[in-house]
Amino acid sequence: MSHAHQPWSATTGAWRPGTLLDRLREADRTALVSLGSDRRYSSGEALMLDGDSSTDAFVVLGGCVKVLGGTVDGRTVLLSLRGAGDMVGELAAMNGTPRSASVFAATAVRVRVIPARSLRTFMAERPEAATAIHASVADKLRRATRHRVDFTTASTLVRLALALQHLAEAYGRPYASGVRIEVPLSQPELASLVGVSDPSLQRAFRRLRENGLIKTEYRRQIVCRPDLLRHLVERGTLPPPAAQEGDER
């Protein structure tokens, strides 16, 4: 279902569709991941901190990272997740500005750390790859805008369904009872990602569990009925119980 947890191959370019490494031609992809140095982070370790003056870019080769931002009232919220094939920190590398968000390892992570000068030289020498990097940045901005629109107009239930659908597609693995999301997220992190309070999130989770769409484990979610989750996202409502039973058969 997802390429997010598959090992990378320079021959096949087996990366999750839509990631930077998936966009690049084989020669550009190989050249990019040969820059800089390999580094590994344990879950919870910081790759970069908001306001940092560091300018390295990071290409995620394995695992998943959390992008965190600070609010005006001092809270930390989960902005997005990035997985294998994605690049983080590229804005500071390209323009030298301070970091605009913090990035922490959500799981054990392997990255390629690329100095800013090396990335800029790479982009100058490989215009097609530079276009792909700029397109990747533009896509992140578009997704952030779409996220704001969806999450300010949709109900809490639909917001949660949207988030779970994306997480299952990007970071899911087949499991006995469905698709298990392999990124460990706490309830406050999920609440900030969905843009709701903890009690509202709990009520939405309860409805999805009662209708058989999901099961929950400690810091893990299992999507049992992707078809019904998709129905909820597309139509804004759960199908009646009789229809649910008919679909399952």
Side-chain angles (χ1 to χ4, degrees), residues 133-153:
I133 291 172
H134 287 300
S136 176
V137 173
D139 277 355
K140 290 176 185 178
L141 295 174
R142 271 195 295 271
R143 284 197 297 271
T145 301
R146 184 72 255 170
H147 180 89
R148 288 193 64 183
V149 171
D150 289 338
F151 282 35
T152 52
T153 58

Side-chain angles (χ1 to χ4, degrees), residues 6-17:
Q6 293 184 358
W8 175 70
S9 161
T11 303
T12 64
W15 295 102
R16 179 165 55 86

